[in-house]
């Protein structure tokens, strides 16, 4: 078969590559659905990567010193599964036969924490490459934390991020956001192999995608290397020149000043006789006749399915020896590093063990009671600055809104190449303050990659209304159970005069509908501090919804301690009656409105309890006894108070409850005017409370 030169490959290597192609074809044929074409044509590239390029140890998929591999082409999961099988990660032939079936280790798209050797859950196109950018950022930050003085290539914290991407990946806008950021950051530890086969579900990509991708990436600041298997042979015959691809990977590894895009021109489903280079091979089984014909062409028995010769498997699993040798060399470096850096080693051990710094709780600030309004975004900024020294693994920034989101830890350097510092922002490649630019989705995906690297905790900010731009990244974060934190400010109509385009209405409800995402809207500065502490103690994906509008800092000597916020909801102010006549449940800046309404109601001899509910998800996790104590079933008169859509509050306030909310878009005016205009006032809460009491009696 037309595999040119073979970087030292022996006959079993060529046979193994052909075995890969046929396993892909057989697995999809067996399942009846899937994507065989890319896995077939990328077989030599994937085999080369796992057998000769990637630093990895199949006996320990979580080894700290490994390279990371991201299959951004998630639909071509077989590209990775088959290599994991051949390399000895624990997948067996039976797992390939069970492709896309319930409970198997080979789901339709790769899933982290499910299949050994899979680093990231991919599937939504563009998400993988954008997250790989975050992995590269995290690798650099980690090196700066643990081993900044080491010469390039000598640290146990040096590793490379490799990514396979497709035409579809590079059409998605988020890949552009991430790639632009990577070029600016000069992430020489990121290498992407772009499978330019020019086929998608609608067949030839010329109908929608004809740009010069290489030129675009050069403009981003990437090194671009072309390897054109379509034109490497005599007379422009298709020849898989593996030597050319190997040389490209080595050139990419040497370039530490810029990320590298290897544009690999392939023919999808090669060498299937009639389905190669067609949309039909992209996302459906080839058909029994085509699979049999391909087997004959490659010198396999057309009647045998899932054929893997013992000599091939024995040969491919020799990579375990290479992995163990690499691990042995790394262990020596690591031991020397530990001896020379005892304090950093202690910090690393703590982080790897999933432990928080001992001084975290003490570092969290306490704010004095004050009627003078303090925006919760401002309080968050003070909390972050207070945590800077005690929690060095915490870092973050915003999508060009640092001053508005209050996401900058005071005095911390920027994460930026020295040559790209500005008069305002100084730093280095090992800095801490992240500048994502106006790339909200790209920021979210990069945060996912940072979290998947595993040694740092990341946060990123924008306005709450622009969480819409980030939602494609937030969902994979929640799906993968990643401990990333979103700092979403300007959380209501009370955000100044920017108008309805910037005023979130439906966003809190929409975000609360997402499984695995903790939506946290603190009432005052002390709740912000407590909630930040709880977020860091958890390992789930969390979103802080913070105000631009100032709100009083509640007097905790008179009312309940802010530590109750860690339970998601707590009784902030108790009723004067043994059993409350009505319960006001509020979040964020509207807690102050509920408290004011309580004063009026109590004067009218209506026993009123105020419950601050910063996080519905945390409250749901509490015991039934605690929840019943906060919201006793016998008190049916309830009012929810939140400057957002009332959607979703019925399960808290019940059939007799009332909502003080806004169920339409806002307007351009100052906060005080809008709250009055749209009826989010103490008077409106009093009226709703009386109506709910009447409803409960009715």
């Amino acid at each position: 078969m037309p595999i040119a030169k073979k970087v030292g490959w022996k006959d079993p290597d060529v046979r193994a590559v052909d075995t890969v192609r046929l396993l892909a074809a057989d697995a999809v044929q067996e399942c009846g659905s899937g994507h065989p074409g890319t896995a077939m044509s990328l077989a030599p590239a994937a085999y080369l990567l796992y057998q000769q390029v990637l630093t990895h140890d199949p006996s320990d998929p979580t080894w700290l010193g490994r390279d990371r591999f991201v299959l951004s082409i998630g639909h071509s999961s077989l590209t990775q599964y088959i290599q994991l099988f051949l390399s000895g990660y624990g997948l067996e032939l039976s797992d390939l036969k069970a492709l896309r079936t319930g409970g198997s280790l080979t789901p339709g798209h790769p899933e982290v924490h499910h299949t050994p050797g899979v680093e990231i859950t991919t599937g939504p196109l563009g998400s993988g490459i954008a997250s790989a950018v975050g992995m590269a950022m995290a690798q650099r930050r980690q090196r700066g934390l643990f081993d900044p003085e080491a010469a390039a290539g000598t640290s146990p914290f040096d590793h490379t991020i490799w990514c396979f991407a497709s035409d579809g990946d590079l059409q998605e806008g988020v890949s552009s956001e991430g790639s632009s950021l990577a070029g600016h950051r000069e992430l020489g530890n990121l290498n992407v192999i772009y499978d330019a086969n020019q086929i998608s579900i609608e067949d030839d990509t010329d109908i929608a995608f004809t740009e010069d991708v290489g030129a675009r990436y050069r403009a981003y600041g990437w090194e671009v290397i072309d390897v054109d298997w379509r034109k490497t042979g005599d007379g422009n015959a298709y020849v898989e020149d593996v030597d050319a691809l190997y040389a490209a990977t080595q050139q990419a590894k040497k370039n530490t000043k810029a990320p590298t895009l290897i544009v690999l021109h392939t023919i999808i489903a090669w060498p299937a006789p009639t389905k190669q280079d067609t949309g039909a091979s992209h996302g459906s089984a080839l058909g029994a006749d085509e699979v049999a014909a391909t087997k004959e062409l490659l010198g396999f028995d057309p009647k045998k399915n899932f054929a893997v010769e013992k000599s091939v498997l024995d040969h491919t699993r020799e990579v375990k020896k290479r992995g163990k040798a690499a691990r042995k060399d790394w262990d020596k470096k690591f031991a020397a590093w530990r001896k020379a850096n005892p304090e950093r080693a202690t910090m690393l051990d703590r982080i790897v063990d999933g432990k928080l710094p001992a001084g975290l709780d003490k570092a969290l600030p306490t704010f004095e009671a004050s009627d003078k309004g303090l925006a919760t975004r401002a309080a968050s900024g003070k909390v972050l600055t207070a945590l800077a020294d005690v929690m060095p693994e915490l870092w973050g920034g915003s999508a060009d809104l640092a001053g508005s989101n209050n996401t900058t830890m005071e005095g911390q350097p920027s994460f930026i190449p020295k040559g790209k510092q500005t008069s305002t922002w100084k730093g280095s490649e090992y800095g801490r303050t992240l500048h994502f630019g106006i790339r909200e989705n790209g920021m979210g995906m990069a945060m996912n990659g940072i979290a998947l690297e595993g040694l740092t905790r990341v946060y990123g900010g924008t306005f709450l209304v622009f969480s819409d731009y980030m939602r494609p990244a937030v969902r994979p974060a929640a799906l993968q159970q990643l401990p990333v934190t979103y700092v979403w400010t300007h959380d209501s109509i009370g955000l100044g005069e920017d108008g309805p385009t910037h005023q979130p209405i439906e966003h809190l409800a929409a975000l609360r509908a997402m499984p695995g995402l903790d939506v946290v809207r603190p009432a005052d500065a002390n709740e912000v501090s407590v909630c930040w502490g709880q977020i860091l103690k958890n390992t789930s994906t969390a979103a802080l919804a913070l105000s631009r509008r100032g709100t009083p800092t509640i007097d905790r000597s008179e009312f309940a301690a802010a530590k109750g916020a860690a339970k998601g909801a707590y009784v902030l102010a108790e009723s004067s009656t043994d059993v409350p006549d009505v319960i006001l449940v509020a979040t964020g800046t509207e807690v102050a409105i509920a408290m004011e309404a309580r004063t009026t109601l109590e004067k009218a001899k209506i026993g009123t309890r105020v419950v601050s509910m910063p996080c519905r998800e945390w409250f749901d996790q509490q015991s039934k006894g605690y929840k019943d104590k906060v919201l006793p079933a016998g008190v049916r008169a309830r009012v929810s108070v939140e400057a957002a859509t009332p959607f979703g509050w019925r399960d808290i306030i019940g059939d007799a409850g009332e909502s003080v909310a806004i169920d339409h878009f806002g307007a351009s005016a100052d906060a005080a005017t809008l709250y009055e205009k749209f009826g989010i006032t103490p008077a409106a809460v009093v009226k709703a409370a009386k109506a709910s009491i009447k409803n409960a009696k009715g």
Side-chain angles (χ1 to χ4, degrees):
M1 288 308 298
I3 293 181
K5 308 172 186 179
K6 292 171 289 192
V7 288
W9 282 6
K10 302 173 183 176
D11 288 342
D13 292 298
V14 178
R15 190 67 169 175
V17 170
D18 290 339
T19 299
V20 171
R21 304 184 208 271
L22 297 178
L23 285 174
D26 278 339
V28 176
Q29 194 66 31
E30 176 79 10
C31 175
S33 68
H35 301 76
T38 298
M40 293 173 69
S41 53
L42 275 185
Y47 185 82
L48 176 71
L49 193 76
Y50 271 84
Q51 292 290 320
Q52 291 177 264
V53 176
L54 201 66
T55 298
H56 66 122
D57 181 1
S59 66
D60 185 2
T62 62
W63 168 38
L64 194 63
R66 72 193 184 282
D67 286 347
R68 307 312 197 257
F69 174 66
V70 175
L71 184 71
S72 197
I73 322 169
H75 56 268
S76 185
S77 55
L78 283 165
T79 295
Q80 185 170 22
Y81 293 155
I82 296 171
Q83 297 308 320
L84 295 176
F85 160 61
L86 292 179
S87 299
Y89 273 82
L91 286 188
E92 299 301 339
L93 203 56
S94 58
D95 296 307
L96 299 182
K97 293 177 181 179
L99 177 72
R100 297 167 70 96
T101 60
S104 76
L105 289 175
T106 49
H109 294 83
E111 297 178 18
V112 71
H113 313 312
H114 181 78
T115 307
V118 170
E119 302 279 4
I120 178 175
T121 299
T122 56
L125 289 173
S127 67
I129 184 173
S131 295
V133 172
M135 289 182 176
M137 292 167 65
Q139 185 277 323
R140 181 172 288 181
R141 171 65 184 163
Q142 290 162 190
R143 195 189 199 281
L145 268 179
F146 298 112
D147 203 15
E149 298 89 4
T154 65
S155 172
F157 297 94
D158 287 330
H159 62 261
T160 303
I161 287 76
W162 293 91
C163 176
F164 277 7
S166 64
D167 291 302
D169 287 296
L170 299 193
Q171 289 176 59
E172 288 286 0
V174 72
S175 67
S176 297
E177 291 184 24
S179 298
S180 173
L181 183 62
H184 174 77
R185 292 276 180 255
E186 301 174 8
L187 298 176
N189 54 352
L190 173 62
N191 300 319
V192 176
I193 297 177
Y194 160 38
D195 178 29
N197 63 43
Q198 295 179 268
I199 292 291
S200 62
I201 289 177
E202 294 185 1
D203 206 80
D204 196 320
T205 57
D206 279 352
I207 59 169
F209 186 55
T210 54
E211 69 191 44
D212 186 336
V213 173
R216 171 156 64 94
Y217 272 75
R218 288 185 182 96
Y220 289 150
W222 288 55
E223 177 183 27
V224 178
I225 306 170
D226 269 279
V227 177
D228 196 341
W229 285 352
R230 288 173 174 260
K231 298 180 180 179
T232 50
D234 294 337
N236 290 341
Y238 185 73
V239 177
E240 294 164 315
D241 189 342
V242 182
D243 275 7
L245 179 58
Y246 180 76
T249 64
Q250 299 313 294
Q251 183 177 334
K253 287 175 71 173
K254 289 176 183 176
N255 187 346
T256 60
K257 300 299 182 183
T260 298
L261 181 76
I262 300 171
V263 184
L264 179 63
H265 300 271
T266 67
I267 292 178
I268 194 170
W270 178 265
T274 68
K275 295 290 182 71
Q276 63 176 268
D277 212 15
T278 67
S281 69
H282 173 91
S284 58
L286 299 180
D289 291 344
E290 186 79 0
V291 173
T294 307
K295 289 176 181 177
E296 281 195 277
L297 188 66
L298 294 175
F300 285 70
D301 186 342
K303 296 180 181 179
K304 288 185 178 180
N305 297 330
F306 295 97
V308 181
E309 294 158 3
K310 184 178 182 299
S311 59
V312 165
L313 195 58
D314 289 344
H315 180 71
T316 59
R317 291 192 175 175
E318 288 287 307
V319 75
K320 286 186 174 183
K321 293 181 180 178
R322 183 170 70 85
K324 288 180 180 179
R327 178 65 179 270
K328 186 176 181 180
D329 289 343
W330 182 87
D331 284 342
K332 290 179 182 177
K333 286 184 184 178
F334 189 59
W337 171 83
R338 291 188 70 93
K339 185 176 181 180
N341 299 274
E343 290 185 9
R344 289 173 179 165
T346 298
M347 177 172 63
L348 176 65
D349 291 342
R350 172 181 64 77
I351 293 171
V352 169
D353 289 343
K355 296 178 180 178
L356 292 170
L360 176 66
D361 287 334
K362 186 179 290 186
L364 290 168
T366 300
F367 298 84
E368 291 185 4
S370 174
D371 290 333
K372 184 179 179 181
L374 178 65
T376 54
R377 64 168 178 163
S380 175
K382 294 178 185 298
V383 172
L384 287 171
T385 296
L387 291 175
D389 291 337
V390 74
M391 194 169 181
E393 68 267 31
L394 181 65
W395 64 321
S398 92
D400 199 55
L401 289 168
S404 294
N405 298 148
N406 294 89
T407 49
T408 305
M409 297 174 176
E410 290 182 15
Q412 297 299 315
S414 291
F415 180 82
I416 189 170
K418 289 182 179 179
K420 292 173 179 172
Q421 299 176 88
T422 68
S423 58
T424 303
W425 300 100
K426 304 296 184 184
S428 71
E429 63 179 0
Y430 294 150
R432 188 172 191 177
T433 301
L434 287 165
H435 305 281
F436 290 100
I438 307 168
R439 305 179 179 97
E440 292 88 353
N441 195 7
M443 173 176 71
M445 294 297 185
M447 290 168 68
N448 293 349
I450 290 170
L452 286 161
E453 271 281 329
L455 297 183
T456 62
R457 290 290 294 265
V458 67
Y459 62 86
T462 186
F463 292 166
L464 178 58
V465 75
F466 299 135
S467 64
D468 282 347
Y469 286 167
M470 294 184 65
R471 195 175 182 92
V474 177
R475 189 175 189 275
L479 179 66
Q480 296 174 88
Q481 302 175 326
L482 302 180
V484 301
T485 303
Y486 311 108
V487 181
W488 288 328
T489 69
H490 297 59
D491 67 347
S492 72
I493 56 173
L495 52 66
E497 292 74 27
D498 281 332
T501 60
H502 283 53
Q503 294 166 354
I505 302 296
E506 75 281 16
H507 297 74
L508 290 171
L511 290 163
R512 286 172 180 145
M514 186 180 294
L517 176 66
D518 297 340
V519 181
V520 187
R521 190 169 185 244
D524 74 345
N526 285 308
E527 279 199 12
V528 170
S529 189
V530 169
C531 288
W532 256 117
Q534 190 61 37
I535 285 169
L536 294 174
K537 291 170 186 175
N538 294 343
T539 56
S540 51
T541 311
L544 275 163
L546 303 173
S547 72
R548 179 187 186 274
R549 188 187 194 200
T551 191
T553 303
I554 297 165
D555 186 348
R556 299 295 172 167
S557 66
E558 181 179 357
F559 301 106
K563 65 181 181 180
K567 293 188 175 182
Y570 66 107
V571 178
L572 172 61
E574 190 53 279
S575 166
S576 60
T577 56
D578 290 340
V579 177
D581 295 311
V582 65
I583 300 175
L584 310 180
V585 186
T587 78
T589 51
E590 287 74 75
V591 170
I593 293 174
M595 292 290 280
E596 212 175 317
R598 173 184 176 272
T599 300
T600 301
L601 288 164
E602 285 285 352
K603 285 180 180 178
K605 306 299 183 184
I606 298 173
T608 305
R609 171 185 288 185
V610 174
V611 170
S612 176
M613 187 174 280
C615 184
R616 294 270 298 270
E617 294 76 21
W618 294 350
F619 185 60
D620 287 343
Q621 294 167 11
Q622 305 307 313
S623 68
K624 184 178 185 300
Y626 178 79
K627 289 188 284 187
D628 288 346
K629 186 176 180 180
V630 174
L631 296 174
V635 183
R636 294 178 57 234
R638 301 179 185 181
V639 179
S640 65
V641 191
E642 187 172 69
T645 176
F647 186 83
W649 278 103
R650 184 58 61 187
D651 58 347
I652 294 293
I653 61 175
D655 58 352
E658 296 284 334
S659 286
V660 175
I662 177 170
D663 57 2
H664 52 78
F665 294 118
S668 183
D670 63 274
T673 298
L674 292 176
Y675 271 69
E676 186 68 35
K677 175 182 175 66
F678 296 134
I680 305 173
T681 62
V685 176
V686 169
K687 183 179 178 181
K690 292 178 179 178
S692 184
I693 291 170
K694 185 177 180 180
N695 295 342
K697 290 179 179 178

